[in-house]
Amino acid sequence: MSFVRTTPPRPVEVTAVFPELAPLARPAMRLHPRPGQPSVRDSSVGGPLLWPAGEPWPHCEDVHLHVDTGSRRSPTEVRLRRSLSSRWSPDGPVPTLTPAEEALKERNAAWLAERLEAGPPGSAECPVPMLPVAQLFLCDVPLLRPPGQADLLQILWCPYEHDPDYKPATALFWRSAAEVGDVLVTPPEPYEADYPGYVPEPCLLAPESITEYPNTLDLSPVLQEMLEDRNRWQAGGADVAGSYAAYPREFYSIHLGNAPGWKVGGWPPWGRTDPIPRYCVVCEAQMVPLLTIASREWDGDDGWVPQEDQADAAGPHYAGQDPSQPTGVEVGSTDNMQIYICPTAPEHPHTDLIQ
């Protein structure tokens, strides 16, 4: 990895105040995706995959009917619009596409015209080529626990919402990087994306190891009540005055529990629902979090902004330039998608959940 991101120290060592939480600590790795130009040999979000040329590219087999909402665009169009937005300034000239981007736009238009000739605009595109979401090499993210000799995780999704949960369908692949010979140079792309937030922007990663503690919803009633004890916080030297005075448990939730952003491992970021145990459909083992796909890397001034990003986060930015959304991904209503796997056999079917 060519850059570093560092989570600021927590405002208090939570296990010094509440030793009862120490057994619940879990390792996690914040991935810190930032826009870049990853290669097939890089760990990335939304980058090209080290995909064998002789292996079929994954497609979503569901029926996807085209409904003209006016918001659907090809992945290339989505990324070109983002590129223009990233260069916009109220004091500068109107941004225009670079010559390379103009050439890409022309190629995309020709491809779309060819696609439309294959069927009327209202026809279904089925099956739909899936889009790369993340590629993680074990050497960069040692917290992964791959099956067998695998050292590479690849996750893709269909850029359409699917019933009944209105989220992209996901596909997960483990493989050995050394066994990949010729690489697929030009993988197929979907004709359109249901929503721009389902088109990840190519990002490089700066993985960082951290320790996480549970969401309060994962704590027992006794531990939840304990976190409401303001005297315990004060005795431990934690400042829970001001807006936290009446609700000290919120201080834990915002500053000490789940880290925001894309991450591997750790604890689930509950909120949309209460905790829902998920069990492997093959062996019935309780599944564990593998990857959090986040809509934001941080939310406001919550103290999780990496030290290297604090100047950008505090400075002015305009539409399409929010430093907390480097991947362009948005699931649900700025929620997270959690990928779960079987802890005893990661090759068993995975599952996912939006929170």
Side-chain angles (χ1 to χ4, degrees), residues 225-244:
E225 184 177 354
M226 178 184 69
L227 292 178
E228 296 285 10
D229 186 348
R230 188 180 174 194
N231 292 330
R232 285 281 300 269
W233 286 105
Q234 291 177 330
D239 181 12
V240 292
S243 61
Y244 297 114

Side-chain angles (χ1 to χ4, degrees), residues 3 33-38 45 201-204 326:
F3 65 100
R34 299 295 183 270
Q37 296 180 325
V45 163
E201 197 68 20
C203 290
L204 291 165

Side-chain angles (χ1 to χ4, degrees), residues 189-213:
E189 276 204 340
Y191 164 63
E192 63 181 6
D194 204 5
Y195 175 61
Y198 298 155
V199 181
E201 197 68 20
C203 290
L204 291 165
L205 308 181
E208 177 198 18
S209 296
I210 63 169
T211 299
E212 274 201 341
Y213 297 92

Side-chain angles (χ1 to χ4, degrees), residues 292-347:
T292 298
I293 298 169
S295 295
R296 291 183 179 275
E297 287 298 289
W298 57 82
D299 186 11
D301 184 20
D302 61 6
W304 291 99
V305 181
Q307 293 173 352
E308 297 82 359
D309 291 316
Q310 290 181 5
D312 286 342
H317 53 269
Y318 309 101
Q321 301 174 358
D322 190 341
S324 73
Q325 293 186 297
T327 67
V329 166
E330 189 166 320
V331 291
S333 178
T334 61
D335 293 319
N336 303 290
M337 175 181 278
Q338 195 99 19
I339 305 291
Y340 290 82
I341 58 168
C342 175
T344 58
E347 68 275 16

Side-chain angles (χ1 to χ4, degrees), residues 17 30 40 84 95 107 110 180 190-191 226-227 270 299 306 308:
V17 183
R30 298 186 75 185
V40 297
L84 288 175
R107 291 197 300 272
V180 178
Y191 164 63
M226 178 184 69
L227 292 178
W270 303 111
D299 186 11
E308 297 82 359

